[in-house]
Amino acid sequence: MSASRSNITVPTSAAPGKTSEVDVLIVGAGPAGLMAATWFARCGIKARIVDKRGTKIYNGQADGLQCRTLEIFDSFGFADRAWKESNHMIEICLWNPNSEGVLRRSDRIPDTIPGLSRFQQVVLHQGRIERFFLDSLKEHSDIRIERGVMPEKLTFNEEDAEKEDAYPIEVVLQHLSDEEMNPEQSKSTAGAAVSDGLFRSNLAPDDTEELLQQAAAKGRTSSRETVRAKYMIGCDGAHSWTRKQLGFALEGEQTDYIWGVLDIIPITDFPDIRVRCAIHSANSGSIMVIPRENKLVRLYIQMTTTEKGGATVNRSNITPDMILKAANKTLAPYTLSYEYCDWWTAYQIGQRVGSNFSKNERIFLAGDAVHTHSPKAGQGMNVSMQDTYNLCWKISNVLNGVAERSILKTYQSERRRIAQDLIAFDHRFSRLFSGRPAKDVMDETGISMEEFKNAFEKGNLFASGVAVDYGSSLIVAKPGSSAEQGDGTDVEQKSDKLRVIGKQELASNIKLGMRMPSFKVLNQSDARPWHFQEVLRSNGKWRIVIFAGDLSKKEQMDRYKKLGEALAAPTSFLHRFTPAGKPIDSVIEILTIHSGPRTEIELHDFPEIFRPWSKREGWDYWKIYVDAPSYHEGFGEAYKNYGVDAAKGCAVILRPDQYVSWLGNLEDVQEMDHFFSGFMKVRN
Amino acid sequence: MSASRSNITVPTSAAPGKTSEVDVLIVGAGPAGLMAATWFARCGIKARIVDKRGTKIYNGQADGLQCRTLEIFDSFGFADRAWKESNHMIEICLWNPNSEGVLRRSDRIPDTIPGLSRFQQVVLHQGRIERFFLDSLKEHSDIRIERGVMPEKLTFNEEDAEKEDAYPIEVVLQHLSDEEMNPEQSKSTAGAAVSDGLFRSNLAPDDTEELLQQAAAKGRTSSRETVRAKYMIGCDGAHSWTRKQLGFALEGEQTDYIWGVLDIIPITDFPDIRVRCAIHSANSGSIMVIPRENKLVRLYIQMTTTEKGGATVNRSNITPDMILKAANKTLAPYTLSYEYCDWWTAYQIGQRVGSNFSKNERIFLAGDAVHTHSPKAGQGMNVSMQDTYNLCWKISNVLNGVAERSILKTYQSERRRIAQDLIAFDHRFSRLFSGRPAKDVMDETGISMEEFKNAFEKGNLFASGVAVDYGSSLIVAKPGSSAEQGDGTDVEQKSDKLRVIGKQELASNIKLGMRMPSFKVLNQSDARPWHFQEVLRSNGKWRIVIFAGDLSKKEQMDRYKKLGEALAAPTSFLHRFTPAGKPIDSVIEILTIHSGPRTEIELHDFPEIFRPWSKREGWDYWKIYVDAPSYHEGFGEAYKNYGVDAAKGCAVILRPDQYVSWLGNLEDVQEMDHFFSGFMKVRN
């Protein structure tokens, strides 16, 4: 494509209709697109989100939710809905043949490593998760999913890419007629032919409204419009139209493993049917059991019809009966049948990563558009949502005038690296899971069950999503090369003067580049316990967490007061980066956790900058916390668990997505200033 | 009134319109009425609920939710919404004058006694609580609140009272025009004049739909209909129309204390404004501080304008300014002001109990219709909801053919006694709170602050709602006189043969007559931890909880298997009381908690009756639990905490409202049979 005003599109004869402008256009309303829209809703960004499908999905599809995904949901206020409706994954049982070849349970391991997160991995179908996003969008914004709307032509004016207020993107959208947009769901899954009655019985009550709206839209006929946008995000799946327009490749390969999937209410004498199981039979393939909500169980079943040697197998011939037969072979001597099937499919594993995640940091790709892999580790939907969770606070910060465009390059650096790691993990895991178990140590073509168990346990840490460790960059002040720690993109802080390195030694369990862990602390004003992550809502604000230490010691209180004075000074970075007339916590919020004792210090002993006053609401009672025992929910021991010195404390800068940017002492105000000055815009 | 076909009504000239029949008519859609409707929704009862007001309320009114109320909400599946939106009450601070007369904090005590319940007392305004009920009704039934509908005439045919399928009640309902039904809310509270703008700003997003419906109803004019009902419940408030038709008295007296109430976002230097406080000033009255959701604080402020000697004071002259001035006098040297007031009122404490809670166990009264008292202990809404929570599973059991009408008398016996206890508590508490603090031990007209603190702490146990202890009756198998343990009503088991007494010594912390406490246990099938109360959903079923003990011991497993055989026998009470063709758990559900070890017993080792099979869904994986440590949520130590012998176990019969009916050994099947035979109907 040419550098200036290139048309990246298939030709169309229709004339575009009305033209309008929007800050961000999101293409695709699956989990990645909905996560993007949710960020924009919370940050007050003018965004539109379109999807060619006529409705959201109602069953089947992705189902695993990682610990980290639940933490993110909670930062938007709806993890509780997922937690309540989902099935919780507690234990994994490994089944494989004993020395006589008889299937038996060889191991039990916890599904989520205890202590890793306040959430554990759960399972809930994608349709419900989309519902939570839709309700959240409705509650917090005017952004609504525009369904039956398909992009048809993309024009990108590359010359304007670095002009801040330009609209370098132009997209022609086609509004589909009712016939055109339905029924995508049953077409897209191989032979999914669940009857209408079953389909309807799976609807939750709060989905009804949407179906009614859809019915109301009937009779609408095709029409076109043109949208001019500052930014665009392609969340349009593995066959991404956006990616194709940009000419970017999805690099990798198809494997020769074919798997069947059944979502059923099982009738069986297999004792662990309500437990996540990895079952290796001696010679009849493998099964993964994923117990789900509403009495359902998902079974991933290896199909023995696979042709050897990488030849493409025709999976369109596979039926539920064939999958069930394969399952019974693997499970023998146990038996499995069902009366109720909610959904089923068959798939072949492909492992691919996108060559580029953005075009000039104006058009971005996310989710399946830039990575595909096997579904069995329950990663896909999570990594997709975390792509746009990483991206869209950055776009919002830029659009809201908080940050320079330079931060946008960190999206590819951070997320393409994650996608590469994911594919490597999936490759290893799929091979171990799809292989025949070794008969003994001499059986070299078989898979060692000990190796499988170890990989499974390590994989669980990876799969939790909390192990994500973003590399050094202008927004993560850690040592080393940004190119090496990311996907190769250069995202260094360019100014030597502004480049700072966080002091990791001040908080052994608050890791630069990783998400802030959560322990319980009490609100100083009312003694209520909060998991500290609950206070770190996703609203686009940067945060400085002041571990104030032991304020009953005069020397420490003096350090804290001195920090307060520096922050409150009219020339402080806090004032410089906050627009005049806006609340002092509107760009950077300061939170305090002191180490107590809670009852020996009064709220009004804290300097005012740490509990800002407003004319209408008086003092702010939600900024100061204490590490102390609660009456009803135990003792979080936050200082101990964060690895922070309870006497002297430290200061932590957190990104709007709760990842740790910097660590330092209470005196390091100049370093904080340098860090923020590296990408923030002076407003005052 | 005469015994047969008496007209209990004010005369009306209008001719009744169409006539229809309903199982239960509920008058009044406040919390008591909504709780009643919720039970009927879950039990499949045909019920209607009418309210003369045009909308539900949106601010002000009652706000405290007891531990027990939250447990009940959770049994219907919506405690999580209240828990999330509410402010949690953690600590109480007592403030009173020191020896120099200067106000200071004298004590800190926990608000909810630790360990009492898995919930703690919270605060949330009544409008949100009504919302949760409305959403729950919509999700589970076709029952909708009929607003702007007022009963006009009540006819009761007493001769038919004991005829099971009769409709002895006839009510003429008037459908009000829009002008007639609005605006009840502002009229009913003394001088409430919060401006329209503030009123609207307080609306939650999910209230909007209802307002739209209300708008659509505009233009409706008065009309009449006649409803014939089997049962009727008057939840129509302190000025209950239903009570007046029945000619029942509300007995008690008005006190001479006047209190002002402000719901504000406070601007103050008082350090404990976000803590529940009881403040006694030396000579300027008392204040109770109740921190609320959305930055609001409710202040109950004693007005110094009270006339002495019981003369009626005109509270209609009171203004928010007067209340604020009184507050500042009490709080001195601290100051208080506000920019935002959400709601305010002034009230005079009256303490009264209804003389009768029912007419022939066909027409019942509940909530404020039968008890009024001071609001400061946050009891009113809770006790009102718990009235109908007690009543309506009983009515449902009778209407569904499960139980004899004899159980209905226990409503008055159990709940009128609670109302009497509540009024006694409120009387004592109000006197201590409204009085001037004693200057020293010689000051006899003053209130001892030590006595106040003790009363407050004891009051907290009462106020939690979990101390409720229902007396002996045909549905609570405990020793002693039912008349003495209740309100005087005779609710004994009439048959000597069927009268059984539970063996309290088998479970020291599962108290006959009290609600089943909750500790965490794991599901045997998937190791997921549940608070045991979560399994005890409110669905109208009776339950037998089998503490099966240590099933790894053959002797104990034999006892358990023998019990299973007795229950599974075709002539067992379980079969006799379950209609033919219905699932075996549809009237009485059997749950097992064994004492482990979890991993040494397989699900299929348990006798089938304890995990019943169905053709469509296979085995039931949600009936068997184990007392074992969890991976992520600690160890409930259920046997230890319930006080049950971990080797031998015991059996517990629970009512549909989770109150304990009976305790016995695994061999006491004959006693279980006798207990249920005392009021259940043979179906098979």
Side-chain angles (χ1 to χ4, degrees), chain B residues 383-537:
Chain B
V383 175
S384 293
M385 288 189 285
Q386 287 168 33
D387 282 347
T388 46
Y389 187 68
N390 178 289
L391 172 62
C392 295
W393 67 265
K394 295 172 183 172
I395 295 178
S396 298
N397 261 203
V398 171
L399 284 168
N400 283 332
V402 168
E404 307 279 356
R405 272 180 46 78
S406 56
I407 67 170
L408 298 176
K409 263 196 201 307
T410 62
Y411 171 62
Q412 166 150 342
S413 169
E414 291 176 345
R415 297 307 299 178
R416 188 157 172 268
R417 173 58 180 266
I418 294 294
Q420 290 164 336
D421 291 350
L422 169 62
I423 265 60
F425 163 74
D426 188 55
H427 188 79
R428 206 168 55 244
F429 185 73
S430 291
R431 186 186 63 81
L432 290 171
F433 196 62
S434 300
R436 174 183 62 75
K439 291 191 180 63
D440 51 45
V441 288
M442 301 301 290
D443 179 2
E444 288 184 3
T445 63
I447 303 293
S448 149
M449 286 296 103
E450 195 56 28
E451 186 190 347
F452 176 71
K453 184 189 168 195
N454 291 339
F456 212 118
E457 284 187 315
K458 276 183 208 143
N460 263 0
L461 175 59
F462 181 88
S464 73
V466 305
V468 163
D469 185 0
Y470 292 139
S472 165
S473 73
L474 75 171
I475 54 173
V476 175
K478 73 183 191 187
S481 150
S482 71
E484 275 171 29
Q485 293 176 17
D487 86 317
T489 309
D490 176 6
V491 287
E492 305 276 356
Q493 174 54 257
K494 299 299 178 227
S495 157
D496 281 348
K497 183 193 148 202
L498 299 182
R499 187 156 202 227
V500 293
I501 302 289
K503 300 181 175 73
Q504 182 62 68
E505 65 276 14
L506 294 178
S508 56
N509 196 23
I510 301 175
K511 298 273 173 58
L512 292 163
M514 297 180 77
R515 71 88 167 90
M516 180 78 171
S518 192
F519 303 102
K520 281 193 178 166
V521 292
L522 309 190
N523 184 314
Q524 174 70 26
S525 304
D526 62 8
R528 175 167 173 183
W530 293 93
H531 246 293
F532 190 59
Q533 279 184 353
E534 294 181 85
V535 180
L536 309 175
R537 315 299 290 179

Side-chain angles (χ1 to χ4, degrees), chain B residues 230-249:
Chain B
K230 289 180 178 169
Y231 293 91
M232 174 176 177
I233 311 176
C235 306
D236 42 358
H239 303 285
S240 171
W241 175 89
T242 312
R243 188 187 67 229
K244 283 174 193 158
Q245 306 316 303
L246 297 172
F248 294 154

Side-chain angles (χ1 to χ4, degrees), chain A residues 14-192:
Chain A
K18 73 172 171 97
T19 297
S20 59
E21 289 176 349
V22 70
D23 286 339
V24 190
L25 176 67
I26 306 162
V27 178
L34 289 168
M35 177 66 85
T38 299
W39 254 132
F40 296 133
R42 299 305 173 91
C43 294
I45 300 298
K46 197 180 158 199
R48 285 179 66 181
I49 173 168
V50 301
D51 197 295
K52 63 181 176 182
R53 295 176 302 173
T55 66
K56 78 171 186 65
I57 66 162
Y58 295 102
N59 53 3
Q61 307 285 2
D63 57 2
L65 289 175
Q66 300 176 343
C67 306
R68 179 58 189 151
T69 300
L70 287 164
E71 292 180 359
I72 292 170
F73 284 3
D74 194 57
S75 77
F76 287 118
F78 55 81
D80 54 324
R81 294 185 71 183
W83 191 248
K84 183 178 181 180
E85 290 191 23
S86 60
N87 190 48
H88 296 201
M89 307 292 271
I90 306 297
E91 201 171 55
I92 298 171
C93 289
L94 305 183
W95 286 73
N96 45 58
N98 65 12
S99 54
E100 277 82 51
V102 178
L103 197 64
R104 51 79 216 237
R105 184 196 296 120
S106 68
D107 293 282
R108 290 180 198 264
I109 53 178
D111 186 287
T112 303
I113 299 163
L116 204 59
S117 167
R118 65 204 156 105
F119 296 104
Q120 291 93 51
Q121 179 164 302
V122 302
V123 174
L124 182 65
H125 78 77
Q126 186 177 331
R128 290 307 297 161
I129 292 154
E130 293 185 11
R131 164 56 51 210
F132 308 150
F133 277 114
L134 296 179
D135 289 349
S136 168
L137 282 173
K138 198 171 169 183
E139 191 178 339
H140 291 94
S141 74
D142 295 323
I143 301 173
R144 297 289 177 273
I145 317 307
E146 302 172 46
R147 300 205 186 273
V149 177
M150 201 168 74
E152 199 181 56
K153 182 180 171 185
L154 169 62
T155 315
F156 179 58
N157 184 352
E158 200 167 341
E159 279 179 359
D160 284 353
E162 295 308 319
K163 291 184 190 154
E164 287 241 327
D165 293 328
Y167 291 84
I169 300 156
E170 198 174 285
V171 179
V172 177
L173 295 176
Q174 186 183 7
H175 292 253
L176 303 179
S177 67
D178 191 52
E179 269 172 48
E180 289 167 318
M181 63 175 140
N182 284 314
E184 278 301 315
Q185 186 185 12
S186 51
K187 279 185 207 158
S188 67
T189 59

